Amino acid sequence: MIFWRAIAAAILLVTAPALLAGEIPPDARRSGYSFMGPDTRAMQDDDTSNPGMLFVLDGEALWSKKTGDAGKACADCHGDARSGMKGVAARYPAFDKALARPVTLDQRINLCRANHQQATPLPYESRDLLALSAYVAHQSRGISIAAGDDPQLKPFVDQGRDLFMQREGQLNLACTNCHDDNFDKRLAGAPITQAQPTGYPLYRLEWQTLGSIERRLRSCMSGVRAQAYDYGSPELVALELYLMSRARGLPMETPAVRP
Amino acid sequence: MVRSPVHIAALIAASLACSAHADELVPYTIVGDSIPQSLTGAPGDAARGRALVLARTTTCILCHSGPFPETRFQGDLAPDLTGAGNRWSASQLRLRLVDASRFNAETIMPSYYRNDGLVRVGRNFAGKPILSAAEIEDIVAFLATLRD
Amino acid sequence: MPTTRRQFLSLAGGVTVAGTIPIVTLRPLEATPAMLTTAIRNVVGEAPIRTGRVKLDIPPLVENGNTVPMTVSVASPMTAADYVKSIHVFNEKNPQPNIGNFYLNPASGRAQVSTRIRLADTQKVVAIARLSDDTFWQVMADIVVTLAACTEEMN
Amino acid sequence: MPALINVPAKAKRGDIIEIRTLTSHIMETGFRHTADGRLVPRDIITSFTCRYNGTEIFRADLFPAIAANPYLSFFTVAKESGKFEFEWMGDNGYCSTASASITVE
């Protein structure tokens, strides 16, 4: 009896993805959507009133627009995004063999521009980059997040996790202090979420525009009075990667709407 | 770390006299679980303290709630401040504001009077405590009045 | 309460949780009740304003004052003989008291308009309808605006 | 600037139909200041008009209190097949148009 239990336990240990201390178990993971009021949910739910869809619309036009010295459009290599890009964003950030590190969807778009279109990179948070990234990620809407599975990503996921656990700033708080330990409580009037990155780039009412997860992370860092990492820095990429792997199984919502 | 009160008084006097660098903290003496002496050498102003507790910039109200009927949005991450003056003496409150991590290394309550051992502090905050000695004293004076 | 008031749309977010570096200068941006009254009188003139017939759907607790969904509807048959000519929406505490004017006609079929508005703070919103007989009807709502706990510094 | 227009493709004569529009615009209020104290000039859409086969059926005056990327929904009676034309006008000579068609049976 004890023997069988031991085996069962051993099997559980091997098959269940190792859950690190303090992490939210898969069946308790909740999108930021579930923390919102009915009016903000309604804004996200209806594509004809979701302001993020304006950017998706822009992205759709950019997808087939020829650009750069090569005079090529995204569509010239990738074809119809609705089939070709389906599920792609749910696997990002992904490992890039040539660079030997993970790259975000934004970085992948700019790598494509540099390598295949011979075009200048689009600046972080620029309308065109957000629009393209929203258009690509929108093709994964409803698909479960599956980022971080590639074993080559392991050290980068670990780095992101360490950063998530690292106290920083004058207020000396780590992401985990709020988003693992205190979600569902209220910081002043605002509910604390689990920080599941299911809908990026997303339309934040506070911003009144679409923004990337990097912008959101930087604003949290400012919140604890820490020096925010630069856009595209290895730290922000690692954090995004960890957050996406932490959200595994949750469906993508791009473009989400959040307060 | 324990210094004689006379020595501290002298230091405070010195810092007032030559208006010490803003980033320097007033030294304090911990006795048991308290800091018995006012950081400024004078009692704080409870009315100013109440305003500070309610100001979002000092961050208290983001996590704590309390007997503040006019303030709509109060946090619930940390204990209600109602009755804080019954539970703690002014000296105990002072140390809890200055460095709550002394009682629990895992606490989410920031150490409000500390400027070292922190990671990646934002440019505009580097080397400064969250609250000044005078602000700490005002808040201590106010919290001490919160009796059930 | 200047310490808790959010600025009317701070630039790209504005201040941190700490209210550290005000990116946008704090100014007395609040409209006064007198400004609200003036704005209303500019539309209504000296006509009396009755309460009723107008419905204002707006969340009583707003998650972010930068984008607040709002629907105004008026009980009206919307016939050539009896219809809503216009709907006017005002606020109490934004820098400017006007929000929007909406012009309808019998062909509208239903006297209902939705939009998204900005509310700088917890305040009153007033919606006034002008009917085809030039009577004015109003409704008032108190809206509580949640202040963002963390906003970002401008980079 | 792109706009999202939602008009039913088909309707029965006499139906009351909802029209929804969402357009890209910053709606800069004119009340904000930069860190060095300069006023950010106002840049908003000030008026919106909808015409149904040439006849104005809805018009709005917009103020700085309208949120960025203005959303408007309103109603009209479907009376004949044809075209809805939308026009947004604003500060600095801003003008943007869109259209949608409907089949009325």
Side-chain angles (χ1 to χ4, degrees), chain A residues 46-55 57-58 127 203 208-209, chain D residues 1-6 20-24 26 67-69 71:
Chain A
D46 178 3
D47 275 353
T48 64
S49 70
N50 179 339
M53 288 304 291
L54 290 169
F55 292 79
L57 207 63
D58 268 356
R127 186 167 181 106
Y203 193 91
Q208 302 186 72
T209 185
Chain D
M1 278 304 197
L4 276 166
I5 307 292
N6 186 19
R20 293 185 207 164
T21 68
L22 185 63
T23 192
S24 294
I26 182 172
N69 303 313
Y71 171 77

Side-chain angles (χ1 to χ4, degrees), chain A:
Chain A
M1 196 62 181
I2 290 164
F3 172 74
W4 284 112
R5 257 193 222 155
I7 288 192
I11 290 168
L12 266 178
L13 277 176
V14 189
T15 51
L19 207 59
L20 294 155
E23 281 192 352
I24 301 164
D27 58 357
R29 288 175 192 168
R30 283 162 57 201
S31 156
Y33 180 89
S34 72
F35 294 82
M36 311 197 300
D39 298 282
T40 316
R41 288 186 189 194
M43 216 182 284
Q44 171 174 327
D45 289 343
D46 178 3
D47 275 353
T48 64
S49 70
N50 179 339
M53 288 304 291
L54 290 169
F55 292 79
V56 171
L57 207 63
D58 268 356
E60 187 177 14
L62 289 171
W63 182 259
S64 46
K65 189 179 156 195
K66 294 186 189 300
T67 188
D69 292 343
K72 278 204 251 177
C74 308
D76 291 338
C77 293
H78 296 285
D80 188 341
R82 281 168 298 185
S83 48
M85 289 295 115
K86 195 172 176 174
V88 170
R91 298 191 294 270
Y92 265 74
F95 191 79
D96 182 277
K97 278 209 165 54
L99 296 172
R101 60 173 170 81
V103 295
T104 64
L105 192 55
D106 282 356
Q107 289 172 331
R108 171 60 63 211
I109 289 167
N110 273 332
L111 283 168
C112 269
R113 286 176 67 83
N115 299 338
H116 304 297
Q117 297 177 301
Q118 278 134 50
T120 50
L122 297 169
Y124 283 102
E125 303 307 295
S126 61
R127 186 167 181 106
D128 283 2
L129 185 55
L130 289 169
L132 271 171
S133 157
Y135 179 61
V136 171
H138 182 59
Q139 311 310 323
S140 296
R141 188 158 69 170
I143 291 176
S144 294
I145 292 174
D149 285 344
D150 185 340
Q152 297 173 98
L153 289 171
K154 174 104 183 19
F156 301 95
V157 176
D158 290 348
Q159 181 197 2
R161 183 175 188 275
D162 289 346
L163 288 164
F164 193 80
M165 303 295 164
Q166 164 79 60
R167 287 185 185 243
E168 61 171 17
Q170 194 195 32
L171 301 187
N172 202 27
L173 290 168
C175 314
T176 186
N177 293 144
C178 280
H179 299 291
D180 282 334
D181 301 341
N182 283 296
F183 64 81
D184 257 344
K185 293 198 179 147
R186 280 172 181 270
L187 193 62
I192 297 176
T193 68
Q194 291 183 351
Q196 306 286 10
T198 48
Y200 286 97
L202 57 75
Y203 193 91
R204 200 169 172 219
L205 304 185
E206 174 68 24
W207 296 334
Q208 302 186 72
T209 185
L210 210 72
S212 72
I213 185 172
E214 297 195 32
R215 180 172 180 186
R216 188 66 189 85
L217 287 169
R218 284 166 54 85
S219 99
C220 258
M221 289 167 189
S222 299
V224 299
R225 305 184 187 180
Q227 196 61 52
Y229 296 102
D230 291 336
Y231 281 105
S233 64
E235 290 87 355
L236 286 185
V237 175
L239 266 170
E240 176 176 345
L241 175 62
Y242 170 65
L243 285 175
M244 284 292 279
S245 72
R246 181 174 168 274
R248 259 193 306 255
L250 289 176
M252 293 280 290
E253 296 167 46
T254 310
V257 175
R258 296 288 183 269

Side-chain angles (χ1 to χ4, degrees), chain B residues 9-39:
Chain B
L11 270 173
I12 293 167
S15 66
L16 288 174
C18 60
S19 74
H21 192 254
D23 296 353
E24 259 168 50
L25 301 188
V26 175
Y28 53 83
T29 306
I30 296 168
V31 178
D33 68 343
S34 307
I35 301 175
Q37 302 291 322
S38 161
L39 298 179

